[in-house]
Amino acid sequence: MTNFPADRATALARLADFAPHAGRDYAAGRNYDDQTHVSVLSPYLRHRIITEQEVLTAVLRHHTPSAAEKFIAEVCWRTYWKGWLERRPTLWAGYQAELRKTLDDVQTQSGLRSEWEAACLGQTGIACFDHWAQELVTTGYLHNHARMWFASIWIHTLQLPWTLGADFFMRHLLDGDAASNTLSWRWVGGIHTMGKSYLARADNIAKYTNGRFTPTGLAHHPYPLDTTPHPPVGPVPQSDWINPAKSSVHLITDDDIAATQPDMPTATYYNAAGRSPLATAPIIGEFVDPALTGHGPALADVGAITAWAVDQGAQQLVMNYTPVGPTADGLSGLRAALDAQGITLAVHIRDHDRTGWPASKAGFFKFKAVIPDILRLVADCREPQLGLV
Ligand SMILES: Cc1cc2nc3c(=O)[nH]c(=O)nc-3n(C[C@H](O)[C@H](O)[C@H](O)COP(=O)(O)OP(=O)(O)OC[C@H]3O[C@@H](n4cnc5c(N)ncnc54)[C@H](O)[C@@H]3O)c2cc1C
């Protein structure tokens, strides 16, 4: 089982170890759940302790794009999901509303409550599922294939509400991410790609756990979930102009910890309570808090951020974009609050996202067309490894 010290040096060392294996080794072994063939970098990427561009740069030092095609595609799945949710933000709000309603049901329906508790505690009697529930709670990480099997058993075999499963992940995953998590659960449940669900099969689990688990009694048919058409695709967010003549302060959030501006007073913001209406696992704070430490005062909300910017005599607050999710929720009134004090909010979107998100319109197959442009950013080194611009 992997540990996750929350520092950039660990992430870079892990990347350096992994990069030579990102080609054929990864493609051949990534579906085995033993964690020896995957990068285990997701907590660092999720909080941008290291960036996608740094990861792709390291990998392309060892492999051609075609040799590392599978790994590059997986990194781009993150970009695709993030762009997909960015352009349909009501799906995140809809998930949160449905989750709150389902948590009310949990309070009033004792049968649902005990089944949900047994699933979260790893006490269902399905050995592999119980193992993964406990592994997630203990480590804050699960291999991708285990996440797929787990979500499938949760939805199709145990027939528990998918929002409760997505919430269980959000409360425990160090890499818990509004886009990758919500949309992956929807995909497993058959409500992302209409009519296409993911069904975990006993022989597939036996093969890719190297025979550790051969479950019986798994669902043979998907459990039908209510589907509604996707909301229409919205616009791609744009960067603001950063006025170099203005006296500026810099806000770092847990969505982009690598964004440094050494010449500006800096503070941090992290919406620790925003992942779930329930308490999140302490392990998440133990990962994120140290990663933000040393970047200035930790500010609790929009009011505290505005007061701090005023206190610093700022004319402009500069920050990297916070994508749809808990941190953006917590900062939703920031622009207006700063405006009222005569301070401009200047938000920067990294080249990586600016290049990928316009292609997050339909399926991943179409998104793939933009991957050469994303790789060209690496080749051109247009984006510095740190910083806003
Ligand atoms: C139900 C479910 C929930 C998930 N929830 C999250 C989540 O909350 N946060 C999260 O970062 N990922 C999530 N994933 C995607 C994926 O499981 C993890 O990103 C991956 O397991 C991380 O391990 P790794 O770093 O070793 O990945 P590697 O295989 O080494 O891949 C490298 C990087 O690519 C990205 N990546 C890889 N696979 C995917 C994928 N399928 N979707 C999106 N990005 C991917 C990650 O940033 C990862 O670190 C979820 C998948 C499923 C099926």
Side-chain angles (χ1 to χ4, degrees), residues 101-135:
K101 192 197 148 298
T102 314
L103 285 169
D104 287 345
D105 294 344
V106 163
Q107 296 304 317
T108 54
Q109 298 174 22
S110 57
L112 173 62
R113 183 179 179 87
S114 57
E115 285 166 29
W116 168 67
E117 282 174 349
C120 296
L121 290 168
Q123 295 175 353
T124 64
I126 303 173
C128 55
F129 183 94
D130 293 347
H131 171 85
W132 296 319
Q134 287 160 16
E135 182 181 352

Side-chain angles (χ1 to χ4, degrees), residues 348-384:
H348 173 72
I349 302 179
R350 286 185 184 266
D351 284 351
H352 181 89
D353 300 332
R354 233 166 21 81
T355 306
W357 290 354
S360 288
K361 278 193 294 210
F364 185 72
F365 187 73
K366 285 197 173 158
F367 180 89
K368 277 181 160 179
V370 88
I371 292 179
D373 296 335
I374 289 176
L375 297 185
R376 219 162 283 131
L377 293 175
V378 176
D380 294 353
C381 281
R382 278 207 293 152
E383 184 171 60

Side-chain angles (χ1 to χ4, degrees), residues 242 260-261 320 348 350-351 382-389:
I242 299 174
T260 55
Q261 286 290 296
N320 271 13
H348 173 72
R350 286 185 184 266
D351 284 351
R382 278 207 293 152
E383 184 171 60
Q385 294 194 351
L386 289 180
L388 287 162
V389 284

Side-chain angles (χ1 to χ4, degrees), residues 70 135 206 213 262 325:
K70 200 66 212 155
E135 182 181 352
F213 298 108

Side-chain angles (χ1 to χ4, degrees), residues 18 26 30 35 37-43 45-46 52 55 71-79 81 141-151 169-170 173-182 184-188:
F18 171 75
Y26 179 81
R30 60 181 279 272
Q35 296 178 20
H37 300 280
V38 291
S39 71
V40 209
L41 284 169
S42 56
L45 276 166
R46 155 65 182 89
E52 293 88 339
V55 171
F71 180 76
I72 292 167
E74 292 306 317
V75 173
C76 287
W77 264 100
R78 174 180 145 79
T79 314
W81 281 141
Y141 174 87
L142 274 186
H143 183 277
N144 181 59
H145 222 160
R147 296 183 202 209
M148 291 165 63
W149 296 321
F150 185 93
F169 271 22
M170 282 300 272
L173 279 173
L174 299 181
D175 64 32
D177 179 76
S180 292
N181 192 56
T182 314
S184 296
W185 275 86
R186 284 171 58 89
W187 173 77
V188 172

